[in-house]
Each structure stands twice: as structure tokens, then as C-alpha cells.
Amino acid sequence: MSLLAKFAAVDEARRALGEADPARTVIERLESATLGIINGAPTILAGTNNYLGMTFDEEAVEAGRDALTEAGTGTTGSRMANGTYAAHVALEAELADFYGYPAAVVFSTGYAANLGALSALLGTGDAVLLDADAHASLFDGCRLCPADLYTFRHNDPASLDKRLGRLGDRARNALVVVEGLYGVLGDRAPLADIAAVKDRHGACLLVDEAHSLGVVGAEGRGVVEEAGVMDQVDFVVGTFSKSLGTMGGFCASRHAEVALFPYASRPYMFTASPSPATIACTRAALRTLRARPDLKQRLWRNANRLHQGLSQLGVDVGEAPSPVMPVRLQQREAALAAWNGLLAEGVYVNLFLPPAAPGGGSLLRMSVSAAHTDDQIDCIVAAVAKVMKAIGASG
Amino acid sequence: MDSPLELELRELLGGITPLPPDFTSDTDLLDALALESAQIMEFVMEVEDRFDIIIDQRQLAEVRNIAQLAAVVGKAVA
């Protein structure tokens, strides 16, 4: 029983959340990309990563349906064995073309892409410097490798510069790892400054654009594009599960050696490849992303509308609008009450309790979609106003 | 008797989280302080900047108290 004893504390913490367990919220039915049925009630989905509203994209749905019919339900194997179909290779070529890089590799999830890229790159004697607020998958990927692991202060090029300097000549064997747009607070990495620092020390730079693909940059290529550093960044990783509305991940690079990652990456080798339908939906979604810049414009219009509405309530949502909008609440009980209150008002958001929120405290993470209507955004603002008043908090 | 290095590390840690009155350099950090992972990272970065060193997180896996951390820092400074 000793192996299972640790779960008593988990169970106790879970029970303390009360009847509604945010980690086990069930969306009973989906009405659209932004409306679901939760606890039997229509609920606006303001806590997804469906930034472009792509999950019901007609072309993607049709492509997936066709692939199911033509290629079956799954590949039953690893990319290294029987799990590479022509469509997987085509998607890799299309991603490389999208970034203007020589090659890209497709992984089964975004998590696997981070583990797979990092474990392929980092060996004994190498060093990796990770932004302290980086996603868990990036920490896990670094821990999978024998390289020395260091952290630097979040979004602080000077902190990175000092640490690379302390590495001396070893900096040439160092990989700097950051996110483009951070998925909890919605803030952007100062990529131009970070790229300049890593160049000065001869290091490499990997940017996770999970939350910024299709969301930031003139062509939707992320913060690397917006910051004008596509020819300085060494590796871009990303996921299909947010703006593209499917599943899977990728690593694209200006270095052709990225095509050799599959031979050195256990997270690539030892898992089944994405299903034909998943790949077909992703390819269609990528085509839509490239052909319809209006989706990104609509997303930012909605982000601005929500930011303005919440700011007028006196809620602290930061100075700059972002598709990821955190509402900080220092008290855990207030955050839990607010989360429950919003759900009762028909608005689903994400809840981050300690220690999950960067900088401590608790927060509600709201995310915006291009598919939200003006009415839905206004309903979200009205629900926040009501709930904040009920719990006696304004930010 | 705490070394000057241990005292300095304790002062830095005290800036991250309140230390109990009976805290010593041999107190088990995880048992006594319930530090969150973000606080541990912040503490390590504070230590790195104070001593102008860089500490591999793997080296910290075996560190349970200030005395053991002082040994790691002392080696890096030397």
C-alpha cells in the first residue's frame, strides 16, 4: 500500500476543491468552437486554446472524414516503422515551406515535439539555459537529456547574458530555450534581444511557438516572425493542438540537420504516429491559416474587446491585450469561488492554483478565439463583473 | 557553527521565504519550508547572481540543506 499512500494527499486536495473539480470538468457536448454544454447548461468556452476557432473548420472536417475513409483510423505504428504515410511527409514539407526553412519534423503531440527536439539536440557536456517560466514540457525535455540544466530569469536577456558569460567557451555548446508567447500570462519573449545575446556567445536558440503559431506575425509564423529573427532562431517547435485545432507537434529549423532528429529522438521513435485523419485535418487547417489572415485579425479584435471590457471593470488583465488573458487573484479561495461563479454564469475559463501560476498566487486564465462573437465577449465581461462583485474582488 | 558562506545563503533564502526560528544549516529544506518549485528556482538564481556562478540543476538533486548547498557553491566559487 505504500506506493498508493501518496494519493491520500492528492485525494484530500481534490476534495477541498468542493463539488466542481476544475481538473475534471466535462464538456458534455459541443455546439460550436466557442459554445459547449457543461453541467447541462450552454457555456461559453473562454478557456481553450482554440485561437482561430479552427476545430470546426469545414475544410479540415471534410479532409479528416475523407482520410478516415481512405486510410483508416490509425497507423498502428511509429514514424520509424510503418507509421509514416505520404501525408506525414507532405505535412513536413508544408511546414518547412511555411517557415521558409529547409526541413521540419512532425511529432505525435506538442509535448512529444519538445521532448523529441530537446533530447535529439542535447548530449553529455552540452548546456541548456531555460527561461524560468517555460512550459513543463520544456523542463521535462531538458530533464530527459544528459546536458547540464540552468535557468535564467523570465524574459530577462541580461540574466541570460550573465549565465552564458559564466559558461565561458561552453556557451558554444549551449541551447537557449524560450517560448514565443507564454501560455499562462500571455506575455511575449523579447526575442530580438535574446537572439542578439545568444549570437554574441555563439549559442543556439529554440523557441516554442505553441501559443503564437497563427496568432502573431504578419504571416502567422509567430513571435520569431514578428521580432524579425527567423534567420537567427535555430529551432522553432510548435503544436497543432491550439491554433490549428488538431493534435500533434513539430520542429522546424534553418539547419537541415533537423531532418536527422528522428534518428536521435526517442519521443519520436517510441510512440505511434498521428492518425491519417489528424494529419489530413492539420494540413487543411494550415492551408486555412495561410489563406485567411482575417481569422488572426478577428482574434485580435476580440482580444482587444475583452481586454477593454475587463479593464473598464477594474480587473487587472495587464497593459497589453493578448489572446491569453490572466486575471490574478492572490487568494486561492477567491480564485476558486470566481471560477465556480463564472461556470454558474455560463462561462468556462481555466483555473491556476498555487504552485501552477507564475509569480505565485492564483489566477484565472481566459483565452480568446476568433470564433467568439461580440455577444459572447460581452457576456464574458458581464459574468466577470457579476462574479467579482459577489466575491468582493476587483483584481 | 555556521560558516560565513552558510550564513549568506541563509540570508538569501530568508529573502525568498520566512525561515522558522529553529532553522539551521542542517535543517531539511524540503521538510521544513514546503518551498514551491518556482521559489527553489528563484533561490538558485539569487545564489548564482550573488556569487557570480552558475549551478547545474542536476547538482542540486542531492542537496537537502544549506550546508550541502554551501559545499556546491564553495566548489563553484573556487
Side-chain angles (χ1 to χ4, degrees), chain A residues 145 147 149 153 163 166, chain B residues 42 48-49 52 56-58:
Chain A
C145 311
L149 170 60
R153 294 181 196 284
R163 281 158 179 79
R166 290 169 193 157
Chain B
E42 178 60 27
E48 287 179 332
D49 288 342
D52 196 23
D56 175 16
Q57 292 211 351
R58 281 172 228 287

Side-chain angles (χ1 to χ4, degrees), chain A residues 253-275:
Chain A
S253 176
R254 63 190 174 94
H255 304 292
E257 289 88 343
V258 73
L260 300 173
F261 278 17
Y263 300 94
S265 176
R266 295 170 68 86
Y268 178 93
M269 293 179 203
F270 296 108
T271 192
S273 64
S275 74

Side-chain angles (χ1 to χ4, degrees), chain A residues 27 42 56-57 108 149 155 165 182 186 190 197 239 256 268 289-291 296 305:
Chain A
I27 300 172
F56 286 91
D57 177 73
S108 297
L149 170 60
N155 275 353
Y182 284 82
V197 167
T239 179
Y268 178 93
L289 183 155
R290 298 183 78 168
K296 179 160 56 77
R305 190 180 183 95

Side-chain angles (χ1 to χ4, degrees), chain A residues 171-225:
Chain A
R172 294 187 179 281
N173 279 64
L175 178 70
V176 176
V177 178
V178 301
E179 293 181 46
L181 189 144
Y182 284 82
V184 180
L185 299 184
D187 51 338
R188 287 174 171 80
L191 272 191
D193 293 338
I194 286 173
V197 167
K198 73 94 187 174
D199 277 349
R200 194 159 59 246
H201 292 276
C204 283
L205 175 60
L206 179 147
V207 180
D208 183 350
E209 297 271 24
H211 289 272
S212 25
L213 167 65
V215 170
V216 177
E219 304 294 327
R221 289 179 289 206
V223 182
V224 292
E225 182 186 14

Side-chain angles (χ1 to χ4, degrees), chain A residues 107-119 135-144 208 210 237-242 247-250 265 267-268:
Chain A
F107 294 84
S108 297
T109 65
Y111 183 86
N114 280 340
L115 265 62
L118 291 167
S119 61
H135 188 260
S137 59
L138 295 167
F139 274 91
D140 290 356
C142 291
R143 289 182 180 128
L144 197 63
D208 183 350
V237 286
T239 179
F240 307 143
S241 64
K242 300 186 187 336
M247 276 287 291
F250 69 92
S265 176
Y268 178 93

